[in-house]
Amino acid sequence: MTKKIFAINAGSSSLKFQLLEMPSEIVITKGIFERIGSSDAEFTIKYGTEKEQKTLPIQSHQEAVDNLLNVLISKGIIQSLNEINGVGHRVAHGGEEFQDSAIINESVLQTIENLNHLAPKHNPVNVIGIKAFRAALPNVKSVAVFDTAFHHTIKPEVYNYPIPYKYYEKYRIRKYGFHGTSHEYIYKTITSLLDKREEGYKIISCHLGNGSSICAIDNGRSVNTSMGFTPLAGLMMGTRSGDIDPSIIPFIAEKEHKSNQDMNKLLNNDSGLLGVSGISNDLRDIEEAATNGNKRAELAIKMFVNRVAETISAYVSNLNGVDAIVFTAGIGENSATIRSLICKKLSFLNLTLDEKKNGSSEAFIETSDSRVKVAVIPTNEEVVIARDVLRIKQETNPYQSVLQ
Ligand code: AMP
């Protein structure tokens, strides 16, 4: 029997939605509310061949949800709210508590709220989205799908930081990793495209977008990932620094009389591609500037590529080999130049790109004699969310608390 499932991603002033028919994974409608909390919020909805955009006052996420459900009925996209069988919510941080997606009940909601301090910009707004849908559709199953859960298989020697152990015990400071739904989708998709075999595949999934992370996956299990305690760690990103020598932080703070909050902003919002190039956080602008001879744009691209190649190389060691490297997200899916530059640094793996395929829309872009497969696969986090709404069955909390 087919079901209609929402996949929801609530941001501080936005609400992204997709309504999917499952299990066919056909998108019935999708769209976004932006600038929620203002009198000129923006609502975009696509269904069939139609696309509509309007500006309207939307003061809260609750108003956005109510508005959306009314629109779905008034446009005949659904006939009645009873047709909606489930709602899946992307939740940024599941801490150590959530090792899988969870059916939302009062205790799950409370546990998510208890993790707010680990993702102060994301979890509280995810909870607002959950509450808005629960109020509008009180009898519909809702499921939380965590960005961190896919990484629960990472071992302690990888997730612990070499700082006094008491801070792990006291505050649970450790690597969590993010983009879990994307890496999971990539793993499942690439392995469905590869030949069937007994032995599991070793895959390196490169989610390169405004936020970027790489994940080493061994037979479906995340063994390492580049984001850490927060999504600031790892690769150089659009505006985030990624890993730097930690001593730089107190050094700049002292010289420039900056507070912890200022430093957090500097590293999260003013660094990365934007900080180095001084041009933009958008790779398209930087590639254009580099083509026109801008040296800092060139430097930013070289730094970005270098960090990605270094991380992939480290993960080949973690996995003790690699069968396929997959590029996804805005940069990974669209920049043939970046893919080519990264792969040139990986030639020691006997990996070679077919530049013609790299410039086309083919999924596999390596040469026939390359020892490692290279693929470009568009990510689809919404499908993973909708699949989990169907998959997660038990009403009790499928999480184990280790925080007693
Ligand atoms: P995401 O966060 O996955 O939406 O990725 C957004 C980023 O992808 C943008 O900031 C751009 O830097 C990059 N991007 C999108 N399209 C292209 C393109 N055609 N060429 C290069 N970079 C792109």
Side-chain angles (χ1 to χ4, degrees):
M1 205 185 88
T2 64
K3 298 204 165 180
K4 289 181 181 147
I5 308 283
F6 266 122
I8 302 298
N9 188 352
S12 55
S13 63
S14 68
L15 186 89
K16 239 167 113 177
F17 61 90
Q18 269 194 22
L19 183 66
L20 295 107
E21 183 187 284
M22 298 298 284
S24 64
E25 303 183 350
I26 291 167
V27 178
I28 300 166
T29 179
K30 65 176 179 180
I32 187 167
F33 288 87
E34 291 166 286
R35 293 203 300 271
I36 294 174
S38 75
S39 53
D40 56 352
E42 197 78 28
F43 174 47
T44 310
I45 184 165
K46 291 183 193 165
Y47 55 101
T49 52
E50 305 286 322
K51 177 179 173 181
E52 285 181 31
Q53 207 159 9
K54 62 178 173 179
T55 305
L56 72 176
I58 297 273
Q59 294 311 327
S60 65
H61 286 73
Q62 187 67 61
E63 256 184 58
V65 172
D66 294 341
N67 202 292
L68 169 63
L69 297 175
N70 284 335
V71 168
L72 294 190
I73 290 180
S74 68
K75 300 214 173 290
I77 298 169
I78 56 171
Q79 307 307 315
S80 129
L81 294 183
N82 293 334
E83 288 174 37
I84 295 166
N85 303 104
V87 185
H89 295 270
R90 179 184 186 193
V91 178
H93 217 305
E96 291 190 321
E97 281 80 347
F98 294 101
Q99 305 195 349
D100 197 353
S101 301
I103 291 187
I104 298 167
N105 55 28
E106 288 311 318
S107 108
V108 165
L109 206 50
Q110 186 57 56
T111 311
I112 296 171
E113 290 194 282
N114 292 346
L115 295 167
N116 279 354
H117 66 288
L118 290 178
K121 284 204 188 120
H122 297 103
N123 271 32
V125 296
N126 298 152
V127 168
I128 288 171
I130 291 172
K131 287 184 172 167
F133 271 91
R134 271 163 57 95
L137 301 168
N139 301 318
V140 175
K141 173 186 181 185
S142 61
V143 171
V145 180
F146 301 92
D147 244 17
T148 47
F150 183 63
H151 303 298
H152 81 272
T153 44
I154 293 177
K155 293 204 168 126
E157 60 268 35
V158 178
Y159 73 62
N160 272 290
Y161 290 112
I163 58 174
Y165 193 73
K166 65 180 177 190
Y167 296 119
Y168 168 65
E169 294 175 317
K170 214 168 158 183
Y171 304 118
R172 297 287 144 190
I173 294 177
R174 51 161 283 180
K175 175 184 287 214
Y176 290 98
F178 298 86
H179 288 147
T181 47
S182 175
H183 293 304
E184 181 183 339
Y185 179 83
I186 292 303
Y187 178 80
K188 289 197 170 138
T189 308
I190 182 77
T191 49
S192 74
L193 297 174
L194 295 170
D195 297 334
K196 294 266 166 298
R197 71 178 196 197
E198 277 292 298
E199 192 192 340
Y201 280 106
K202 297 172 193 284
I203 304 294
I204 297 180
S205 163
C206 305
H207 180 114
L208 308 179
N210 204 23
S212 296
S213 76
I214 302 187
C215 184
I217 308 168
D218 196 352
N219 197 13
R221 297 166 72 83
S222 168
V223 299
N224 203 351
T225 193
S226 58
M227 283 179 172
F229 178 58
T230 72
L232 178 57
L235 305 175
M236 174 178 176
M237 306 182 214
T239 60
R240 287 174 244 168
S241 63
D243 291 347
I244 60 168
D245 179 341
S247 305
I248 296 167
I249 301 165
F251 186 91
I252 295 180
E254 197 183 323
K255 295 275 182 209
E256 302 267 323
H257 310 292
K258 288 187 186 290
S259 65
N260 286 340
Q261 214 179 354
D262 295 335
M263 289 309 297
N264 219 10
K265 183 179 167 296
L266 185 150
L267 296 169
N268 274 290
N269 302 348
D270 308 332
S271 298
L273 291 170
L274 171 68
V276 174
S277 71
I279 294 168
S280 167
N281 65 320
D282 193 311
L283 185 74
R284 284 166 288 201
D285 301 333
I286 298 169
E287 283 185 339
E288 192 185 325
T291 310
N292 294 329
N294 184 302
K295 292 290 168 213
R296 271 178 44 199
E298 265 177 41
L299 176 64
I301 289 172
K302 283 185 180 163
M303 287 169 66
F304 179 85
V305 165
N306 210 42
R307 182 64 63 88
V308 172
E310 264 175 18
T311 307
I312 293 173
S313 306
Y315 289 0
V316 174
S317 156
N318 284 173
L319 291 167
N320 199 17
V322 60
D323 295 302
I325 295 171
V326 187
F327 292 101
T328 193
I331 296 172
E333 289 167 32
N334 295 303
S335 179
T337 314
I338 292 288
R339 292 193 298 262
S340 173
L341 291 169
I342 293 167
C343 289
K344 284 203 175 92
K345 288 185 175 285
L346 299 171
S347 58
F348 72 96
L349 295 170
N350 290 327
L351 173 162
T352 38
L353 269 201
D354 180 326
E355 288 299 349
K356 204 161 152 222
K357 288 184 182 166
N358 185 34
S360 73
S361 54
E362 288 192 45
F364 287 99
I365 57 170
E366 77 284 352
T367 57
S368 55
D369 60 349
S370 176
R371 286 270 308 275
V372 180
K373 293 211 166 281
V374 185
V376 181
I377 296 177
T379 193
N380 194 337
E381 291 164 281
E382 288 78 12
V383 155
V384 176
I385 293 172
R387 284 177 190 167
D388 275 9
V389 175
L390 291 190
R391 180 177 62 84
I392 299 290
K393 296 257 188 279
Q394 61 272 52
E395 283 290 340
T396 50
N397 303 348
Y399 70 85
Q400 295 163 359
S401 177
V402 290
L403 288 181
Q404 283 132 24

